[in-house]
């Protein structure tokens, strides 16, 4: 399902999830219909820009339904963005190894600090496996 983000440099971006892209979309409307669109916009957007919050919301939507993410690079892009945002260095590990390491840290510290992140990492690993089988 496409996502529309209406924005200008002077206002707060407004996120809208639509069934179809309206024909009258303005030039200040970003249309995100695939994770690759989101990642392209993310790479061009400064972390402090007001648009970043709307981009994170769209990322959360993709992470909740990884079956809608069509390619391996898109999955890695979403996951590395999430890891970077959480201040986690994957140290050259696979996503599964990173999830295991974070799980060990949670066990050592008797916390659930990384439980959501671990869930997303394991979900991504499963989706990557499904894509390999296709």
């Amino acid at each position: 399902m496409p996502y529309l983000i209406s924005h200008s440099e002077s206002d707060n971006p407004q996120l809208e999830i639509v069934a179809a892209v309206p024909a009258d979309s303005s030039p200040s409307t970003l249309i995100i219909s695939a994770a690759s669109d989101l990642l392209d916009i993310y790479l061009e957007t400064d972390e402090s820009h007001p648009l970043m919050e709307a981009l994170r919301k769209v990322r959360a939507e993709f992470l909740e339904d990884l079956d809608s993410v069509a390619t391996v690079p898109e999955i890695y892009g979403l996951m590395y963005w999430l890891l970077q945002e959480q201040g986690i260095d994957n140290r050259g590990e696979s996503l599964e190894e990173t999830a295991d390491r974070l799980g060990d840290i949670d066990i050592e510290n008797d916390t659930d600090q990384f439980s959501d992140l671990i869930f997303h990492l394991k979900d991504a690993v499963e989706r990557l496996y499904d894509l390999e089988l296709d």
Side-chain angles (χ1 to χ4, degrees):
M1 185 163 309
Y3 303 90
L4 299 179
I5 302 175
S6 300
H7 74 98
S8 70
E9 292 301 320
S10 63
D11 69 5
N12 291 326
Q14 300 297 314
L15 174 63
E16 182 180 354
I17 301 171
V18 296
V21 176
D24 63 345
S25 296
S26 72
S28 66
T29 300
L30 299 172
I31 301 168
I32 301 171
S33 52
S36 59
D37 299 333
L38 172 64
L39 291 166
D40 289 344
I41 296 166
Y42 160 70
L43 290 173
E44 295 175 8
T45 305
D46 186 77
E47 188 66 36
S48 63
H49 194 283
L51 178 60
M52 193 56 76
E53 186 59 34
L55 297 178
R56 285 188 194 101
K57 288 178 184 176
V58 174
R59 181 190 65 195
E61 294 288 328
F62 279 112
L63 291 176
E64 288 302 315
D65 182 19
L66 276 180
D67 288 341
S68 69
V69 181
T71 69
V72 169
E74 290 172 332
I75 292 170
Y76 278 111
L78 292 170
M79 295 314 301
Y80 288 139
W81 175 11
L82 184 62
L83 287 169
Q84 182 269 330
E85 186 176 87
Q86 298 293 318
I88 305 295
D89 180 3
N90 75 333
R91 303 176 183 181
E93 302 165 325
S94 69
L95 296 178
E96 189 168 17
E97 291 167 334
T98 301
D100 291 343
R101 179 171 54 86
L102 295 176
D104 291 344
I105 292 170
D106 271 357
I107 290 169
E108 279 179 29
N109 296 327
D110 195 25
T111 66
D112 289 330
Q113 176 183 358
F114 298 114
S115 60
D116 287 342
L117 187 54
I118 292 167
F119 170 79
H120 288 303
L121 287 166
K122 291 190 180 227
D123 195 30
V125 168
E126 185 177 315
R127 178 65 178 137
L128 289 168
Y129 180 73
D130 289 346
L131 286 172
E132 283 180 17
L133 293 178
D134 288 345

